[in-house]
Amino acid sequence: MTDVKGYAYKVSASGRINIIGEHVDYCGGKVMPAALSLKNTVYVRPNGTRRINVAWTTLPGTVSLDADALHNYAGLEYGNYQAGAAFAWQSRGHRIIGCDMLHDCSVPFGCGLSSSAAIEVSTIAALAAVAGEEFDPVEVALAAQEAEREYVGVNCGIMDQYASACGRKGMAMLLDCKTLECEYIPAELGGYCFVLTDCRKPRSLADGRYNERRAETEEAFAILRRVLDADCLADVTPAQLSRCAYMLPKTLRMRAEHVVNECERVRTAEKALRAGNTELLGRLMDRSHYSLKNLYRTTGHEPDVLVETARSHPACIGSRLTGGGFGGCVISLVKKQGVPEFKDHVLKTYARRTGLNAVCYDADIDDGITVEKIYDN
Ligand code: GLA
């Protein structure tokens, strides 16, 4: 058990799944994520100095950050997310006070469930709590996104940080990434539930392929907007795109087709979820994966085998790779009574086909940031 005696606050932020709407957030589209009960929790207390001391429940040692030189730590092996988050928050004019932080993360790293967003968002919320500041979770999400972009170097959209900060228990989110308006839809799936399976292929979005996809969508839109009156790629309709597709070189056309059709799938998924049509939601998830595999090319051998294996079980009605891609977690819609058999089938078949041991994570849809006062200093 972690000894948390003497800490003033317990602050958590969530990992997330994305149900559908992949690689459209940075194109101004709508996405449908949900926050998870897998979280990064920060125990925090003021220490009366100008240093932020960061410790972890799973790592030895402490990293000490100078609160007046937070721009200096981008190269750190451990502590760079915390430093980047603190720096982004400070750059927005917020007061940073010296504090001790103990980080306890139950979001598995590097598997597409947004452990980095959970760390950044909970760090900022902890800094605000310990400074006695009320905070707006949307501003926390925006600052965390700045940290990821400017400090970590992934030119990400807003989906992960927004879901991590603003998620709600039992709710799917319908986030409009152009306006930052969010609707909450009860994640009622009839007799079905989501099963999360990690393909255990290590991945990182900091290796450049994510940024490359983003640049391709920008290039595609720059060409299309010469003839179309649209604010962003997500506003282009499938009919408009097919009329103008000849203008785009092949790769850009494939990327644009994914984005435009994925946005259309999100619109249909919203209706399906509101109408309780879980079968349709499952079919849309299948199509989303197919498009990521063939047009956007962000899946890869292991995730494709995992999705195929999931879909070959009769209890499963839809399956897709979730998150940035190139490895990571697959979410599958599975009939509740069939879950144990489904897991058994997937883990065994996948191991036989790839030589890798996949892992299933148990998680519910939960709140984003939570702040609990645990001790009066
Ligand atoms: C990563 C990014 C998000 C989003 C997804 C793909 O998780 O951080 O902003 O672009 O990839 O949907």
Side-chain angles (χ1 to χ4, degrees):
M1 259 303 274
T2 308
D3 184 10
V4 297
K5 226 168 67 210
Y7 285 95
Y9 292 93
K10 176 183 176 185
V11 180
S12 298
S14 303
R16 62 100 192 89
I17 48 168
N18 187 18
I19 300 169
I20 198 159
E22 212 67 86
H23 285 282
V24 301
D25 61 346
Y26 50 79
C27 301
K30 286 189 181 179
V31 293
M32 195 188 275
L36 292 176
S37 52
L38 300 169
K39 291 171 189 295
N40 188 62
T41 296
V42 186
Y43 298 92
V44 65
R45 65 182 165 221
N47 63 17
T49 71
R50 290 298 297 149
R51 311 227 35 120
I52 303 172
N53 299 320
V54 185
W56 292 267
T57 53
T58 49
L59 292 171
T62 303
V63 169
S64 182
L65 309 168
D66 179 348
D68 299 311
L70 288 168
H71 53 279
N72 269 340
Y73 298 104
L76 278 186
E77 187 180 1
Y78 298 107
N80 65 327
Y81 285 106
Q82 287 83 352
F87 181 53
W89 192 237
Q90 189 176 49
S91 307
R92 288 178 156 253
H94 296 280
R95 189 163 72 100
I96 303 286
I97 68 163
C99 57
D100 302 330
M101 288 184 165
L102 175 64
H103 282 252
D104 185 32
C105 195
S106 65
V107 192
F109 294 118
C111 72
L113 299 180
S114 294
S115 54
S116 59
I119 295 169
E120 292 150 357
V121 168
S122 57
T123 297
I124 296 174
L127 288 168
V130 84
E133 238 194 71
E134 295 273 320
F135 58 83
D136 167 10
V138 177
E139 195 197 352
V140 172
L142 288 166
Q145 182 196 26
E146 279 155 27
E148 186 81 33
R149 282 185 174 176
E150 276 142 46
Y151 212 93
V152 181
V154 179
N155 196 9
C156 65
I158 188 62
M159 171 173 75
D160 302 352
Q161 292 78 9
Y162 198 111
S164 176
C166 306
R168 287 192 199 155
K169 198 177 174 60
M171 297 285 182
M173 306 165 79
L174 185 68
L175 170 64
D176 183 330
C177 299
K178 193 162 77 171
T179 62
L180 293 190
E181 272 161 30
C182 184
E183 290 175 62
Y184 292 85
I185 308 173
E188 279 158 16
L189 303 170
Y192 293 88
C193 63
F194 289 117
V195 176
L196 268 64
T197 317
D198 182 354
C199 75
R200 298 298 270 187
K201 166 109 186 299
R203 66 183 268 289
S204 161
L205 296 185
D207 69 4
R209 285 180 293 178
Y210 179 92
N211 290 349
E212 184 186 281
R213 289 296 179 283
R214 183 172 178 149
E216 286 165 346
T217 59
E218 279 162 11
E219 218 183 312
F221 183 59
I223 297 173
L224 293 172
R225 75 180 313 177
R226 289 187 211 141
V227 292
L228 291 177
D229 180 25
D231 283 349
C232 55
L233 188 53
D235 283 351
V236 175
T237 64
Q240 284 174 321
L241 181 62
S242 51
R243 255 189 283 118
C244 303
Y246 72 92
M247 297 173 71
L248 299 173
K250 183 160 177 245
T251 303
L252 298 191
R253 190 165 68 228
M254 283 159 53
R255 307 301 187 241
E257 265 173 33
H258 166 77
V259 171
V260 167
N261 293 321
E262 184 77 352
C263 289
E264 188 65 23
R265 281 187 284 273
V266 174
R267 289 188 277 273
T268 314
E270 177 194 356
K271 290 188 201 131
L273 191 60
R274 289 193 197 277
N277 189 345
T278 311
E279 282 78 13
L280 175 56
L281 183 64
R283 283 200 296 280
L284 293 163
M285 287 170 59
D286 286 341
R287 283 184 217 145
S288 169
H289 183 85
Y290 187 79
S291 175
L292 291 167
K293 176 182 172 196
N294 295 305
L295 297 175
Y296 217 67
R297 304 257 163 99
T298 50
T299 62
H301 176 65
E302 290 81 1
D304 290 339
V305 171
L306 192 52
V307 164
E308 239 177 80
T309 308
R311 288 303 279 116
S312 69
H313 192 273
C316 177
I317 58 165
S319 186
R320 61 182 291 276
L321 183 63
T322 193
F326 308 108
C329 260
V330 161
I331 57 167
S332 306
L333 255 180
V334 183
K335 212 176 208 119
K336 280 186 189 155
Q337 311 95 290
V339 168
E341 272 178 34
F342 168 82
K343 285 184 178 170
D344 193 55
H345 163 81
V346 167
L347 299 183
K348 283 192 186 135
T349 315
Y350 180 74
R352 188 165 36 75
R353 287 188 58 185
T354 63
L356 292 172
N357 289 317
V359 178
C360 291
Y361 300 120
D362 285 320
D364 298 318
I365 297 183
D366 206 354
D367 289 325
I369 298 173
T370 56
V371 178
E372 201 184 311
K373 188 158 195 176
I374 51 178
Y375 180 75
D376 268 319
N377 280 73

mmCIF file of all heavy atoms in Angstrom, residues 77-123:
data_model
loop_
_atom_site.group_PDB
_atom_site.id
_atom_site.type_symbol
_atom_site.label_atom_id
_atom_site.label_comp_id
_atom_site.label_asym_id
_atom_site.label_seq_id
_atom_site.Cartn_x
_atom_site.Cartn_y
_atom_site.Cartn_z
ATOM 1 N N GLU A 77 14.030 12.000 -18.671
ATOM 2 C CA GLU A 77 13.436 10.685 -18.938
ATOM 3 C C GLU A 77 12.144 10.531 -18.131
ATOM 4 O O GLU A 77 11.123 10.082 -18.633
ATOM 5 C CB GLU A 77 14.426 9.579 -18.598
ATOM 6 C CG GLU A 77 13.893 8.228 -19.018
ATOM 7 C CD GLU A 77 14.835 7.091 -18.709
ATOM 8 O OE1 GLU A 77 15.914 7.327 -18.139
ATOM 9 O OE2 GLU A 77 14.460 5.945 -19.024
ATOM 10 N N TYR A 78 12.207 10.908 -16.869
ATOM 11 C CA TYR A 78 11.002 10.883 -16.035
ATOM 12 C C TYR A 78 10.759 12.307 -15.541
ATOM 13 O O TYR A 78 11.708 12.992 -15.175
ATOM 14 C CB TYR A 78 11.188 9.962 -14.830
ATOM 15 C CG TYR A 78 11.417 8.540 -15.233
ATOM 16 C CD1 TYR A 78 12.681 7.959 -15.123
ATOM 17 C CD2 TYR A 78 10.374 7.779 -15.757
ATOM 18 C CE1 TYR A 78 12.906 6.657 -15.524
ATOM 19 C CE2 TYR A 78 10.589 6.479 -16.158
ATOM 20 C CZ TYR A 78 11.856 5.927 -16.038
ATOM 21 O OH TYR A 78 12.061 4.636 -16.449
ATOM 22 N N GLY A 79 9.519 12.711 -15.522
ATOM 23 C CA GLY A 79 9.205 14.041 -14.996
ATOM 24 C C GLY A 79 8.982 15.073 -16.085
ATOM 25 O O GLY A 79 8.588 16.198 -15.800
ATOM 26 N N ASN A 80 9.218 14.691 -17.379
ATOM 27 C CA ASN A 80 9.031 15.707 -18.422
ATOM 28 C C ASN A 80 7.558 16.051 -18.636
ATOM 29 O O ASN A 80 7.221 17.200 -18.908
ATOM 30 C CB ASN A 80 9.715 15.297 -19.737
ATOM 31 C CG ASN A 80 9.091 14.071 -20.345
ATOM 32 O OD1 ASN A 80 8.633 13.198 -19.613
ATOM 33 N ND2 ASN A 80 9.072 13.970 -21.647
ATOM 34 N N TYR A 81 6.668 15.084 -18.471
ATOM 35 C CA TYR A 81 5.239 15.394 -18.615
ATOM 36 C C TYR A 81 4.780 16.348 -17.518
ATOM 37 O O TYR A 81 4.034 17.294 -17.759
ATOM 38 C CB TYR A 81 4.393 14.114 -18.560
ATOM 39 C CG TYR A 81 4.475 13.301 -19.824
ATOM 40 C CD1 TYR A 81 5.192 12.119 -19.873
ATOM 41 C CD2 TYR A 81 3.831 13.728 -20.973
ATOM 42 C CE1 TYR A 81 5.277 11.374 -21.033
ATOM 43 C CE2 TYR A 81 3.893 12.992 -22.145
ATOM 44 C CZ TYR A 81 4.615 11.821 -22.173
ATOM 45 O OH TYR A 81 4.690 11.101 -23.328
ATOM 46 N N GLN A 82 5.261 16.071 -16.293
ATOM 47 C CA GLN A 82 4.877 16.943 -15.171
ATOM 48 C C GLN A 82 5.440 18.343 -15.387
ATOM 49 O O GLN A 82 4.741 19.348 -15.196
ATOM 50 C CB GLN A 82 5.410 16.367 -13.847
ATOM 51 C CG GLN A 82 4.673 15.133 -13.359
ATOM 52 C CD GLN A 82 5.147 13.825 -14.008
ATOM 53 O OE1 GLN A 82 5.947 13.797 -14.944
ATOM 54 N NE2 GLN A 82 4.624 12.719 -13.508
ATOM 55 N N ALA A 83 6.718 18.420 -15.816
ATOM 56 C CA ALA A 83 7.338 19.726 -16.037
ATOM 57 C C ALA A 83 6.619 20.470 -17.167
ATOM 58 O O ALA A 83 6.313 21.667 -17.046
ATOM 59 C CB ALA A 83 8.817 19.546 -16.376
ATOM 60 N N GLY A 84 6.332 19.760 -18.239
ATOM 61 C CA GLY A 84 5.656 20.388 -19.387
ATOM 62 C C GLY A 84 4.281 20.902 -18.996
ATOM 63 O O GLY A 84 3.868 21.999 -19.393
ATOM 64 N N ALA A 85 3.560 20.114 -18.203
ATOM 65 C CA ALA A 85 2.214 20.512 -17.779
ATOM 66 C C ALA A 85 2.292 21.739 -16.872
ATOM 67 O O ALA A 85 1.538 22.710 -17.041
ATOM 68 C CB ALA A 85 1.535 19.348 -17.056
ATOM 69 N N ALA A 86 3.238 21.721 -15.932
ATOM 70 C CA ALA A 86 3.386 22.858 -15.017
ATOM 71 C C ALA A 86 3.786 24.113 -15.791
ATOM 72 O O ALA A 86 3.275 25.214 -15.546
ATOM 73 C CB ALA A 86 4.438 22.532 -13.949
ATOM 74 N N PHE A 87 4.675 23.924 -16.770
ATOM 75 C CA PHE A 87 5.138 25.059 -17.569
ATOM 76 C C PHE A 87 3.981 25.667 -18.377
ATOM 77 O O PHE A 87 3.790 26.890 -18.424
ATOM 78 C CB PHE A 87 6.277 24.602 -18.496
ATOM 79 C CG PHE A 87 6.841 25.702 -19.334
ATOM 80 C CD1 PHE A 87 7.280 26.892 -18.753
ATOM 81 C CD2 PHE A 87 6.932 25.561 -20.715
ATOM 82 C CE1 PHE A 87 7.804 27.919 -19.537
ATOM 83 C CE2 PHE A 87 7.454 26.585 -21.501
ATOM 84 C CZ PHE A 87 7.879 27.761 -20.913
ATOM 85 N N ALA A 88 3.168 24.789 -18.983
ATOM 86 C CA ALA A 88 2.033 25.285 -19.784
ATOM 87 C C ALA A 88 1.038 26.039 -18.903
ATOM 88 O O ALA A 88 0.490 27.073 -19.291
ATOM 89 C CB ALA A 88 1.349 24.120 -20.491
ATOM 90 N N TRP A 89 0.817 25.519 -17.697
ATOM 91 C CA TRP A 89 -0.146 26.157 -16.784
ATOM 92 C C TRP A 89 0.391 27.521 -16.342
ATOM 93 O O TRP A 89 -0.327 28.519 -16.331
ATOM 94 C CB TRP A 89 -0.373 25.234 -15.585
ATOM 95 C CG TRP A 89 -1.524 25.596 -14.693
ATOM 96 C CD1 TRP A 89 -1.463 25.855 -13.354
ATOM 97 C CD2 TRP A 89 -2.918 25.686 -15.043
ATOM 98 N NE1 TRP A 89 -2.718 26.111 -12.853
ATOM 99 C CE2 TRP A 89 -3.629 26.018 -13.871
ATOM 100 C CE3 TRP A 89 -3.631 25.537 -16.243
ATOM 101 C CZ2 TRP A 89 -5.023 26.201 -13.846
ATOM 102 C CZ3 TRP A 89 -5.014 25.716 -16.221
ATOM 103 C CH2 TRP A 89 -5.690 26.039 -15.045
ATOM 104 N N GLN A 90 1.678 27.546 -16.016
ATOM 105 C CA GLN A 90 2.311 28.796 -15.599
ATOM 106 C C GLN A 90 2.293 29.823 -16.747
ATOM 107 O O GLN A 90 1.995 30.997 -16.526
ATOM 108 C CB GLN A 90 3.761 28.501 -15.210
ATOM 109 C CG GLN A 90 4.502 29.631 -14.557
ATOM 110 C CD GLN A 90 5.904 29.167 -14.142
ATOM 111 O OE1 GLN A 90 6.632 28.565 -14.933
ATOM 112 N NE2 GLN A 90 6.265 29.427 -12.905
ATOM 113 N N SER A 91 2.546 29.344 -17.959
ATOM 114 C CA SER A 91 2.571 30.263 -19.111
ATOM 115 C C SER A 91 1.217 30.911 -19.348
ATOM 116 O O SER A 91 1.119 31.942 -19.999
ATOM 117 C CB SER A 91 2.978 29.523 -20.389
ATOM 118 O OG SER A 91 4.185 28.848 -20.176
ATOM 119 N N ARG A 92 0.154 30.260 -18.863
ATOM 120 C CA ARG A 92 -1.183 30.859 -18.987
ATOM 121 C C ARG A 92 -1.476 31.840 -17.851
ATOM 122 O O ARG A 92 -2.608 32.267 -17.686
ATOM 123 C CB ARG A 92 -2.244 29.758 -18.982
ATOM 124 C CG ARG A 92 -2.239 28.972 -20.246
ATOM 125 C CD ARG A 92 -3.264 27.862 -20.190
ATOM 126 N NE ARG A 92 -3.618 27.531 -21.535
ATOM 127 C CZ ARG A 92 -4.778 27.839 -22.129
ATOM 128 N NH1 ARG A 92 -5.736 28.422 -21.453
ATOM 129 N NH2 ARG A 92 -4.992 27.530 -23.381
ATOM 130 N N GLY A 93 -0.466 32.098 -17.025
ATOM 131 C CA GLY A 93 -0.622 33.129 -15.987
ATOM 132 C C GLY A 93 -1.050 32.588 -14.634
ATOM 133 O O GLY A 93 -1.432 33.350 -13.745
ATOM 134 N N HIS A 94 -1.011 31.267 -14.458
ATOM 135 C CA HIS A 94 -1.419 30.712 -13.168
ATOM 136 C C HIS A 94 -0.229 30.615 -12.212
ATOM 137 O O HIS A 94 0.908 30.427 -12.638
ATOM 138 C CB HIS A 94 -2.048 29.330 -13.358
ATOM 139 C CG HIS A 94 -3.312 29.382 -14.148
ATOM 140 N ND1 HIS A 94 -4.526 29.751 -13.592
ATOM 141 C CD2 HIS A 94 -3.550 29.173 -15.465
ATOM 142 C CE1 HIS A 94 -5.448 29.735 -14.536
ATOM 143 N NE2 HIS A 94 -4.892 29.387 -15.682
ATOM 144 N N ARG A 95 -0.555 30.719 -10.926
ATOM 145 C CA ARG A 95 0.487 30.692 -9.897
ATOM 146 C C ARG A 95 0.900 29.233 -9.622
ATOM 147 O O ARG A 95 0.037 28.359 -9.475
ATOM 148 C CB ARG A 95 -0.106 31.303 -8.616
ATOM 149 C CG ARG A 95 0.891 31.553 -7.508
ATOM 150 C CD ARG A 95 0.269 32.511 -6.504
ATOM 151 N NE ARG A 95 -0.792 31.843 -5.733
ATOM 152 C CZ ARG A 95 -0.627 31.361 -4.510
ATOM 153 N NH1 ARG A 95 0.521 31.485 -3.901
ATOM 154 N NH2 ARG A 95 -1.629 30.764 -3.881
ATOM 155 N N ILE A 96 2.202 29.017 -9.582
ATOM 156 C CA ILE A 96 2.697 27.678 -9.240
ATOM 157 C C ILE A 96 3.349 27.790 -7.870
ATOM 158 O O ILE A 96 4.224 28.635 -7.667
ATOM 159 C CB ILE A 96 3.769 27.215 -10.254
ATOM 160 C CG1 ILE A 96 3.238 27.230 -11.691
ATOM 161 C CG2 ILE A 96 4.339 25.853 -9.880
ATOM 162 C CD1 ILE A 96 2.269 26.133 -12.036
ATOM 163 N N ILE A 97 2.938 26.959 -6.931
ATOM 164 C CA ILE A 97 3.634 26.982 -5.641
ATOM 165 C C ILE A 97 4.444 25.687 -5.481
ATOM 166 O O ILE A 97 4.117 24.664 -6.093
ATOM 167 C CB ILE A 97 2.667 27.195 -4.452
ATOM 168 C CG1 ILE A 97 1.767 26.001 -4.249
ATOM 169 C CG2 ILE A 97 1.835 28.473 -4.602
ATOM 170 C CD1 ILE A 97 1.115 26.012 -2.870
ATOM 171 N N GLY A 98 5.518 25.770 -4.700
ATOM 172 C CA GLY A 98 6.354 24.585 -4.482
ATOM 173 C C GLY A 98 5.527 23.492 -3.812
ATOM 174 O O GLY A 98 4.711 23.755 -2.936
ATOM 175 N N CYS A 99 5.740 22.262 -4.247
ATOM 176 C CA CYS A 99 4.938 21.174 -3.670
ATOM 177 C C CYS A 99 5.625 19.826 -3.854
ATOM 178 O O CYS A 99 6.549 19.686 -4.665
ATOM 179 C CB CYS A 99 3.553 21.149 -4.317
ATOM 180 S SG CYS A 99 3.571 20.969 -6.105
ATOM 181 N N ASP A 100 5.190 18.848 -3.075
ATOM 182 C CA ASP A 100 5.618 17.455 -3.256
ATOM 183 C C ASP A 100 4.459 16.707 -3.898
ATOM 184 O O ASP A 100 3.321 16.824 -3.432
ATOM 185 C CB ASP A 100 5.927 16.802 -1.902
ATOM 186 C CG ASP A 100 7.004 17.558 -1.142
ATOM 187 O OD1 ASP A 100 7.873 18.175 -1.798
ATOM 188 O OD2 ASP A 100 6.959 17.545 0.113
ATOM 189 N N MET A 101 4.788 15.945 -4.928
ATOM 190 C CA MET A 101 3.747 15.184 -5.631
ATOM 191 C C MET A 101 4.134 13.713 -5.647
ATOM 192 O O MET A 101 5.279 13.388 -5.983
ATOM 193 C CB MET A 101 3.701 15.576 -7.107
ATOM 194 C CG MET A 101 3.159 16.904 -7.410
ATOM 195 S SD MET A 101 3.116 17.056 -9.216
ATOM 196 C CE MET A 101 2.052 18.476 -9.291
ATOM 197 N N LEU A 102 3.161 12.871 -5.368
ATOM 198 C CA LEU A 102 3.385 11.436 -5.525
ATOM 199 C C LEU A 102 2.420 10.944 -6.603
ATOM 200 O O LEU A 102 1.197 11.101 -6.460
ATOM 201 C CB LEU A 102 3.115 10.725 -4.199
ATOM 202 C CG LEU A 102 3.195 9.206 -4.234
ATOM 203 C CD1 LEU A 102 4.617 8.738 -4.572
ATOM 204 C CD2 LEU A 102 2.756 8.605 -2.894
ATOM 205 N N HIS A 103 2.973 10.403 -7.693
ATOM 206 C CA HIS A 103 2.138 9.962 -8.819
ATOM 207 C C HIS A 103 1.904 8.453 -8.768
ATOM 208 O O HIS A 103 2.851 7.684 -8.600
ATOM 209 C CB HIS A 103 2.812 10.302 -10.148
ATOM 210 C CG HIS A 103 2.673 11.734 -10.536
ATOM 211 N ND1 HIS A 103 1.866 12.155 -11.566
ATOM 212 C CD2 HIS A 103 3.228 12.853 -10.014
ATOM 213 C CE1 HIS A 103 1.945 13.470 -11.660
ATOM 214 N NE2 HIS A 103 2.768 13.918 -10.735
ATOM 215 N N ASP A 104 0.640 8.096 -8.953
ATOM 216 C CA ASP A 104 0.272 6.680 -8.944
ATOM 217 C C ASP A 104 -0.592 6.438 -10.189
ATOM 218 O O ASP A 104 -1.711 6.940 -10.252
ATOM 219 C CB ASP A 104 -0.527 6.403 -7.654
ATOM 220 C CG ASP A 104 -0.854 4.941 -7.505
ATOM 221 O OD1 ASP A 104 -0.057 4.108 -7.962
ATOM 222 O OD2 ASP A 104 -1.921 4.636 -6.928
ATOM 223 N N CYS A 105 -0.061 5.714 -11.174
ATOM 224 C CA CYS A 105 -0.759 5.620 -12.468
ATOM 225 C C CYS A 105 -1.295 4.213 -12.723
ATOM 226 O O CYS A 105 -0.534 3.250 -12.718
ATOM 227 C CB CYS A 105 0.192 6.020 -13.602
ATOM 228 S SG CYS A 105 -0.689 6.332 -15.139
ATOM 229 N N SER A 106 -2.612 4.114 -12.937
ATOM 230 C CA SER A 106 -3.156 2.805 -13.303
ATOM 231 C C SER A 106 -3.507 2.745 -14.791
ATOM 232 O O SER A 106 -4.052 1.761 -15.263
ATOM 233 C CB SER A 106 -4.387 2.473 -12.447
ATOM 234 O OG SER A 106 -5.429 3.380 -12.719
ATOM 235 N N VAL A 107 -3.189 3.813 -15.546
ATOM 236 C CA VAL A 107 -3.383 3.752 -17.005
ATOM 237 C C VAL A 107 -2.114 3.120 -17.577
ATOM 238 O O VAL A 107 -1.025 3.641 -17.367
ATOM 239 C CB VAL A 107 -3.520 5.162 -17.646
ATOM 240 C CG1 VAL A 107 -3.996 5.051 -19.085
ATOM 241 C CG2 VAL A 107 -4.413 6.071 -16.829
ATOM 242 N N PRO A 108 -2.252 1.989 -18.269
ATOM 243 C CA PRO A 108 -1.037 1.386 -18.827
ATOM 244 C C PRO A 108 -0.374 2.334 -19.835
ATOM 245 O O PRO A 108 -1.066 3.038 -20.577
ATOM 246 C CB PRO A 108 -1.540 0.112 -19.500
ATOM 247 C CG PRO A 108 -3.021 0.209 -19.526
ATOM 248 C CD PRO A 108 -3.471 1.241 -18.564
ATOM 249 N N PHE A 109 0.948 2.373 -19.850
ATOM 250 C CA PHE A 109 1.674 3.319 -20.706
ATOM 251 C C PHE A 109 1.758 2.839 -22.149
ATOM 252 O O PHE A 109 1.866 1.649 -22.405
ATOM 253 C CB PHE A 109 3.110 3.516 -20.188
ATOM 254 C CG PHE A 109 3.161 4.192 -18.847
ATOM 255 C CD1 PHE A 109 3.689 3.561 -17.744
ATOM 256 C CD2 PHE A 109 2.653 5.474 -18.699
ATOM 257 C CE1 PHE A 109 3.715 4.178 -16.501
ATOM 258 C CE2 PHE A 109 2.678 6.111 -17.462
ATOM 259 C CZ PHE A 109 3.207 5.451 -16.360
ATOM 260 N N GLY A 110 1.720 3.800 -23.043
ATOM 261 C CA GLY A 110 2.013 3.525 -24.459
ATOM 262 C C GLY A 110 1.058 2.561 -25.124
ATOM 263 O O GLY A 110 1.449 1.823 -26.018
ATOM 264 N N CYS A 111 -0.215 2.521 -24.706
ATOM 265 C CA CYS A 111 -1.110 1.579 -25.394
ATOM 266 C C CYS A 111 -2.386 2.246 -25.875
ATOM 267 O O CYS A 111 -3.401 1.590 -26.037
ATOM 268 C CB CYS A 111 -1.363 0.349 -24.537
ATOM 269 S SG CYS A 111 -2.398 0.663 -23.168
ATOM 270 N N GLY A 112 -2.323 3.546 -26.120
ATOM 271 C CA GLY A 112 -3.454 4.206 -26.777
ATOM 272 C C GLY A 112 -4.584 4.566 -25.839
ATOM 273 O O GLY A 112 -5.681 4.904 -26.283
ATOM 274 N N LEU A 113 -4.358 4.498 -24.520
ATOM 275 C CA LEU A 113 -5.419 4.865 -23.567
ATOM 276 C C LEU A 113 -5.124 6.217 -22.908
ATOM 277 O O LEU A 113 -5.707 6.562 -21.887
ATOM 278 C CB LEU A 113 -5.586 3.772 -22.500
ATOM 279 C CG LEU A 113 -5.989 2.390 -23.027
ATOM 280 C CD1 LEU A 113 -6.113 1.391 -21.878
ATOM 281 C CD2 LEU A 113 -7.304 2.451 -23.806
ATOM 282 N N SER A 114 -4.190 6.960 -23.480
ATOM 283 C CA SER A 114 -3.912 8.341 -23.048
ATOM 284 C C SER A 114 -3.352 8.463 -21.634
ATOM 285 O O SER A 114 -3.795 9.319 -20.858
ATOM 286 C CB SER A 114 -5.166 9.205 -23.152
ATOM 287 O OG SER A 114 -5.524 9.344 -24.467
ATOM 288 N N SER A 115 -2.361 7.632 -21.339
ATOM 289 C CA SER A 115 -1.701 7.810 -20.041
ATOM 290 C C SER A 115 -1.063 9.196 -19.971
ATOM 291 O O SER A 115 -1.082 9.844 -18.920
ATOM 292 C CB SER A 115 -0.642 6.728 -19.829
ATOM 293 O OG SER A 115 0.243 6.706 -20.919
ATOM 294 N N SER A 116 -0.515 9.685 -21.080
ATOM 295 C CA SER A 116 0.159 10.989 -21.018
ATOM 296 C C SER A 116 -0.837 12.098 -20.706
ATOM 297 O O SER A 116 -0.552 12.971 -19.880
ATOM 298 C CB SER A 116 0.949 11.268 -22.298
ATOM 299 O OG SER A 116 0.098 11.244 -23.407
ATOM 300 N N ALA A 117 -2.021 12.060 -21.322
ATOM 301 C CA ALA A 117 -3.028 13.090 -21.009
ATOM 302 C C ALA A 117 -3.425 13.004 -19.539
ATOM 303 O O ALA A 117 -3.564 14.025 -18.851
ATOM 304 C CB ALA A 117 -4.261 12.918 -21.899
ATOM 305 N N ALA A 118 -3.592 11.769 -19.035
ATOM 306 C CA ALA A 118 -3.981 11.609 -17.619
ATOM 307 C C ALA A 118 -2.921 12.209 -16.700
ATOM 308 O O ALA A 118 -3.250 12.866 -15.696
ATOM 309 C CB ALA A 118 -4.201 10.127 -17.305
ATOM 310 N N ILE A 119 -1.651 12.030 -17.050
ATOM 311 C CA ILE A 119 -0.573 12.583 -16.218
ATOM 312 C C ILE A 119 -0.577 14.113 -16.300
ATOM 313 O O ILE A 119 -0.529 14.808 -15.280
ATOM 314 C CB ILE A 119 0.804 12.013 -16.659
ATOM 315 C CG1 ILE A 119 0.856 10.515 -16.392
ATOM 316 C CG2 ILE A 119 1.950 12.728 -15.943
ATOM 317 C CD1 ILE A 119 2.035 9.792 -17.016
ATOM 318 N N GLU A 120 -0.668 14.638 -17.511
ATOM 319 C CA GLU A 120 -0.623 16.104 -17.675
ATOM 320 C C GLU A 120 -1.819 16.773 -16.996
ATOM 321 O O GLU A 120 -1.663 17.756 -16.260
ATOM 322 C CB GLU A 120 -0.625 16.464 -19.171
ATOM 323 C CG GLU A 120 0.645 16.071 -19.897
ATOM 324 C CD GLU A 120 0.437 15.733 -21.373
ATOM 325 O OE1 GLU A 120 -0.728 15.736 -21.853
ATOM 326 O OE2 GLU A 120 1.422 15.439 -22.048
ATOM 327 N N VAL A 121 -2.999 16.220 -17.239
ATOM 328 C CA VAL A 121 -4.215 16.851 -16.694
ATOM 329 C C VAL A 121 -4.221 16.772 -15.169
ATOM 330 O O VAL A 121 -4.517 17.761 -14.476
ATOM 331 C CB VAL A 121 -5.477 16.179 -17.309
ATOM 332 C CG1 VAL A 121 -6.737 16.578 -16.565
ATOM 333 C CG2 VAL A 121 -5.602 16.536 -18.788
ATOM 334 N N SER A 122 -3.856 15.612 -14.618
ATOM 335 C CA SER A 122 -3.886 15.498 -13.145
ATOM 336 C C SER A 122 -2.804 16.356 -12.517
ATOM 337 O O SER A 122 -2.990 16.907 -11.423
ATOM 338 C CB SER A 122 -3.745 14.033 -12.714
ATOM 339 O OG SER A 122 -2.558 13.485 -13.233
ATOM 340 N N THR A 123 -1.657 16.511 -13.198
ATOM 341 C CA THR A 123 -0.598 17.381 -12.664
ATOM 342 C C THR A 123 -1.106 18.821 -12.557
ATOM 343 O O THR A 123 -0.933 19.487 -11.525
ATOM 344 C CB THR A 123 0.650 17.338 -13.588
ATOM 345 O OG1 THR A 123 1.162 16.009 -13.579
ATOM 346 C CG2 THR A 123 1.734 18.301 -13.117
#
